[in-house]
Amino acid sequence: MNEASPITAGRVKSAIRIGHSACPHDCPSTCALEVELLDDRTIGRVRGDPANSYTAGVICAKVARYAERIHHPDRLLKPLRRIGAKGEGRWQEIGFDDALDIVAEKFLEAEARHGAESVWPYFYAGTMGLVQRDSINRLRHARNYSGQFDSICTNMAWTGWVMGTGRLVGPDPREMAVSDCVVIWGTNAVSTQVNVMTHAVRARKERGAKIVVIDVYDNPTMKQADVKLILKPGTDGALACAVMHVLFREGLADRAYLERHTDDPAGLERHLATRTPEWAAAITGLSVAEIEAFARLVGTTKRTFFRLGYGFTRSRNGAVNMHAALSIPSVTGAWQYEGGGAFHSNSDIFGLDKAEIMGLDFKDHGIRALDQSQIGRVLTGDAEALRNGPPVTAMIVQNTNPVNVAPEQRLVKAGFARDDLFVAVHEQFMTETAEMADIVLPATMFLEHDDIYRGGGQQHILLGPKLVDAPEGPRTNLEVIYGLAERLGVADQVQTGLDARTLIDNMLKKGGKIGFDALKDEKWIDCQPGFATSHYLDGFHWPDRKFRFKPDWTGTAAPNRPPATVGSLGPHERLPEFPDHVDLIEVADAAHPFRLATSPARSFLNSTFAETKGSTTREGRPSVLVHPDDAADLGVGDDDVVRLGNERGAIRLHARIDAGLKRGVLVAEGIWPNKAHLDGEGINVLTGADPVAPYGGAAFHDNHVWMEKA
């Protein structure tokens, strides 16, 4: 176990050792942590590290209660082999090595029957640690197993951002604290990125800054706002265009900045001539007065910081919405000022080469890549989803729970129920995906292994060294991958002799940074570029160094562009020349008069923390927010059971009457376990997996549905 620095805690008689780590979960904040170490296996409270200038001592309540999770009585501790029908819940304990023998045997059988591409290692962001998350790819590439196109989270947001700037870089997010106006657009930061609020509220207290929140309902972040803009889902592009129309119309556009730093301001102004507040009001549900007041606020407040989230991009026009919102500070010239500009992610600043961790040197780029969002279609034999290749007949799943979190849930469950599909799941709890497995392997948690993290929502590389010993039984992701590599005959290629510390040390030093031991002392590395670079004052990341109002939607490199074997996706031919509202969304119609967004809950993180009593008690039960007038029309009262449905299926849950959303809009918060719902089916029965233009992604917040009283 690593050493930790001892300090004296005033509320106890003896000294409590404090370990330093980083939150491993799928959140842009990547908080620096202080962890109470009660003994070699036991932790106490978890706090934000006050010495880290972004975390600033503040973390979310669910991570503060991490002892409840790591010491949970239902945690998986023994490998299990299924002895009943899939999903029946009958298991036999076996040894870990025996379990790995079975997994390797089944993989070899699948390869012999259908070829190597019939094996699909499937993973995602249950940990954001670069070693424990991404090392599965070394096994994938060593055996030429099917690739994974990581589409489920970031694609629309990242694509829309780079279409304008050319690079995933932005102003120092700590600059929110010196802003005069902070616009929090499409992210419920109180619930999902608490540190955004730390710096925004500081600006309000110290500078009198206005906090503007733009979202589809009156969520906890909206309740902290000075200006609230509640709009219909998928209409953010219309709002952005009307704002820019007003900026040009009222002389609030910075024409000198536009001429120096943007590609076609005259063309943009002509295009926006018809994108009036009246036009946008009819689309968004906002009033003309709301739109004009917001435009004048950002147009007259040079230090306006646009904090652009992921939520408003999880729509079939999501990339267009991001690009449109991002264009506003280029019209106002806000990029020129400290505390001004726009920020989404700093993912391009860290300079960490993961080639060794991921085995990229031996990757065969001709191997098919399967879309992780379309796992239901893949596992039920859809030829297009399979890229016209062999069926998937063997899988290992790490760091994700697709039976619960993936779209088109009925297809996903049907796929996992196939008798001819072998599945091994490496997990911390018996998730609904693990329940459908043939072999379940217990996994360590982040404080029980070494890893390294980078904060896309901030600017630090943070070390997460092992702080406590795991209970007997669980193994790290890396150990499982190495164990399979040895049994599958690729130990040399996978380099199973490299432990996590060595991989971290190699990666850091290759990038010209301090090594593992030095980083353990320093705790983090601040990678924020200088002011001119992060504000793009020395040019945007294009040959002409200008912001692109006119993006090349299918000819532009992007952080997660589909591989050549996949190509551009969705109805990309309909994407607009300039920022606009493009009606690619799943529109309401006579048969489906409501639009449903599946927004995050405060106490869950995707499906993580749904196993802890503290989180489930705070969230209550699965429910759907309904406008009072819509409820009255349907004869639905508060707490009544309602049915929601569309062409993908139907579910039952309880209604919560809430005036904080537009008529015709429904919001279901949190990815509750499927079994927590009345019929054992979760909200993702209603979400689709058709890819979003131009580079794919899952439109979780873009669903038309009908609703009736059950």
Side-chain angles (χ1 to χ4, degrees):
M1 192 181 84
N2 288 346
E3 295 179 359
S5 51
I7 66 170
T8 300
R11 65 184 185 280
V12 296
K13 294 181 179 180
S14 59
I16 292 178
R17 294 182 304 133
I18 299 296
H20 302 283
S21 189
C23 180
H25 290 290
D26 189 10
C27 168
S29 288
T30 318
C31 292
L33 304 178
E34 291 185 339
V35 183
E36 291 182 350
L37 306 177
L38 306 185
D39 58 41
D40 286 359
R41 292 185 183 272
T42 312
I43 70 166
R45 291 285 297 176
V46 179
R47 305 181 187 86
D49 194 328
N52 183 275
S53 56
Y54 185 75
T55 302
V58 179
I59 61 171
C60 66
K62 53 187 173 287
V63 173
R65 299 191 302 268
Y66 216 86
E68 182 183 11
R69 188 168 193 274
I70 196 170
H71 304 309
H72 198 291
D74 294 335
R75 183 176 172 183
L76 289 171
L77 298 177
K78 300 290 185 181
L80 303 171
R81 180 178 188 174
R82 178 174 61 85
I83 56 175
K86 285 197 173 185
E88 184 181 343
R90 295 176 57 210
W91 303 95
Q92 177 187 50
E93 290 186 8
I94 60 173
F96 215 117
D97 289 336
D98 293 336
L100 291 178
D101 289 343
I102 293 170
V103 177
E105 177 185 343
K106 294 296 184 180
F107 280 16
L108 291 171
E109 288 179 5
E111 292 182 56
R113 189 175 299 115
H114 296 289
E117 288 183 329
S118 65
V119 181
W120 192 21
Y122 190 92
F123 76 110
Y124 205 53
T127 177
M128 294 294 282
L130 302 186
V131 173
Q132 304 297 343
R133 182 189 67 192
D134 295 331
S135 290
I136 192 173
N137 287 304
R138 276 193 282 165
L139 180 65
R140 182 195 313 278
H141 301 323
R143 295 293 300 184
N144 286 334
Y145 294 153
S146 281
Q148 177 175 293
F149 171 43
D150 299 335
S151 64
I152 206 164
C153 181
T154 64
N155 271 38
M156 294 89 85
W158 287 7
T159 297
W161 178 277
V162 299
M163 289 294 164
T165 66
R167 192 174 179 221
L168 269 177
V169 175
D172 190 331
R174 295 166 294 196
E175 287 184 29
M176 281 183 284
V178 297
S179 296
D180 294 322
C181 178
V182 179
V183 179
I184 302 173
W185 195 324
T187 182
N188 183 3
V190 167
S191 296
T192 63
Q193 298 182 60
V194 65
N195 308 102
V196 170
M197 301 309 299
T198 299
H199 300 285
V201 170
R202 179 182 168 192
R204 180 161 61 190
K205 288 180 177 179
E206 296 182 1
R207 303 177 59 84
K210 298 293 186 184
I211 297 177
V212 180
V213 177
I214 303 171
D215 217 314
V216 299
Y217 73 116
D218 191 10
N219 57 39
T221 305
M222 189 77 71
K223 296 182 190 307
Q224 299 293 318
D226 301 295
V227 177
K228 302 180 179 184
L229 296 175
I230 300 175
L231 74 175
K232 296 178 181 178
T235 65
D236 305 80
L239 170 61
C241 288
V243 167
M244 291 186 286
H245 171 98
V246 174
L247 295 171
F248 279 113
R249 184 188 73 193
E250 300 192 0
L252 298 174
D254 188 332
R255 294 187 181 276
Y257 179 87
L258 284 163
E259 287 301 319
R260 286 197 311 272
H261 291 285
T262 69
D263 63 343
D264 190 0
L268 176 68
E269 186 173 7
R270 288 192 299 271
H271 166 74
L272 294 172
T274 59
R275 272 55 175 179
T276 65
E278 291 78 9
W279 166 83
I283 296 170
T284 63
L286 296 168
S287 69
V288 170
E290 286 177 304
I291 295 169
E292 291 185 335
F294 174 52
R296 291 172 187 138
L297 174 62
V298 300
T300 57
T301 309
K302 294 302 184 182
R303 292 177 183 261
T304 294
F305 195 105
F306 288 80
R307 182 59 175 85
L308 304 177
Y310 286 99
F312 79 113
T313 72
R314 291 190 174 126
S315 177
R316 288 169 177 80
N317 58 3
V320 176
N321 291 339
M322 172 62 83
H323 177 253
L326 173 64
S327 296
I328 297 174
S330 293
V331 174
T332 66
W335 296 102
Q336 300 167 95
Y337 307 99
E338 185 182 21
F343 182 87
H344 170 66
S345 173
N346 257 338
S347 293
D348 281 347
I349 72 173
F350 299 108
L352 294 175
D353 185 342
K354 297 193 296 178
E356 184 177 50
I357 289 173
M358 297 178 66
L360 297 182
D361 291 342
F362 46 90
K363 177 179 179 179
D364 183 343
H365 293 276
I367 299 295
R368 69 175 177 183
L370 303 176
D371 188 337
Q372 70 170 151
S373 298
Q374 294 192 331
I375 182 173
R377 301 184 190 189
V378 168
L379 296 185
T380 53
D382 182 282
E384 183 179 5
L386 286 165
R387 311 295 174 212
N388 297 307
V392 169
T393 60
M395 298 179 70
I396 181 168
V397 179
Q398 287 185 324
N399 314 321
T400 189
N401 181 16
V403 170
N404 190 199
V405 306
E408 299 180 343
Q409 184 182 105
R410 286 186 175 175
L411 287 180
V412 178
K413 292 175 74 172
F416 273 97
R418 282 170 38 207
D419 288 333
D420 67 331
L421 174 67
F422 171 82
V423 177
V425 173
H426 186 206
E427 254 297 354
Q428 298 164 347
F429 290 91
M430 184 59 78
T431 65
E432 285 167 314
T433 304
E435 288 174 349
M436 298 298 291
D438 299 281
I439 294 290
V440 177
L441 305 170
T444 54
M445 295 194 187
F446 80 106
L447 296 173
E448 299 164 349
H449 54 238
D450 294 315
D451 218 329
I452 190 168
Y453 308 87
R454 54 188 184 187
Q458 43 141 315
Q459 62 285 314
H460 292 106
I461 295 170
L462 303 101
L463 191 66
K466 178 184 175 185
L467 295 179
V468 292
D469 294 329
E472 184 178 353
R475 294 188 188 179
T476 71
N477 288 4
L478 193 61
E479 289 174 309
V480 167
I481 296 306
Y482 283 176
L484 291 177
E486 290 165 355
R487 288 163 173 82
L488 292 165
V490 288
D492 290 345
Q493 199 168 5
V494 172
Q495 294 182 282
T496 57
L498 298 176
D499 63 13
R501 290 192 177 202
T502 302
L503 288 166
I504 293 167
D505 197 66
N506 291 348
M507 180 177 61
L508 287 168
K509 291 177 178 176
K510 188 175 181 180
K513 298 175 173 61
I514 59 177
F516 183 99
D517 291 335
L519 183 54
K520 186 182 171 190
D521 292 334
E522 296 292 329
K523 297 189 290 187
W524 51 74
I525 304 169
D526 189 333
C527 298
Q528 184 67 44
F531 183 87
T533 298
S534 58
H535 284 253
Y536 296 100
L537 299 183
D538 53 9
F540 291 90
H541 205 63
W542 303 113
D544 63 3
R545 313 300 290 167
K546 293 186 175 184
F547 182 90
R548 287 189 176 179
F549 290 129
K550 294 175 65 176
D552 181 354
W553 285 109
T554 58
T556 299
N560 197 30
R561 181 170 176 163
T565 55
V566 176
S568 297
L569 295 166
H572 51 82
E573 68 282 352
R574 291 184 55 195
L575 298 177
E577 182 181 26
F578 284 103
D580 212 342
H581 170 69
V582 56
D583 208 1
L584 296 173
I585 58 178
E586 196 168 86
V587 296
D589 55 29
H592 309 88
F594 294 95
R595 298 258 295 137
L596 170 69
T598 59
S599 302
R602 189 167 186 172
S603 299
F604 300 157
L605 204 166
N606 301 319
S607 67
T608 306
F609 296 99
E611 67 281 331
T612 57
K613 184 178 180 180
S615 291
T616 55
T617 299
R618 284 164 176 79
E619 294 301 325
R621 65 186 176 193
S623 60
V624 60
L625 305 183
V626 185
H627 190 278
D629 294 340
D630 290 328
D633 287 350
L634 294 170
V636 171
D638 210 27
D639 289 334
D640 280 353
V641 177
V642 295
R643 291 181 74 237
L644 306 183
N646 56 24
E647 59 270 34
R648 292 178 283 272
I651 65 169
R652 289 191 306 148
L653 66 174
H654 290 84
R656 284 170 47 200
I657 311 304
D658 194 316
L661 66 172
K662 298 296 182 186
R663 288 208 65 177
V665 176
L666 306 173
V667 174
E669 290 185 319
I671 305 181
W672 282 87
N674 303 331
K675 66 183 69 175
H677 290 76
L678 293 170
D679 298 315
E681 291 189 300
I683 198 66
N684 280 316
V685 164
L686 305 175
T687 59
D690 45 306
V692 175
Y695 294 154
F700 284 106
H701 303 335
D702 183 2
N703 312 285
H704 65 199
V705 296
W706 49 260
M707 180 175 64
E708 63 185 17
K709 186 173 181 179

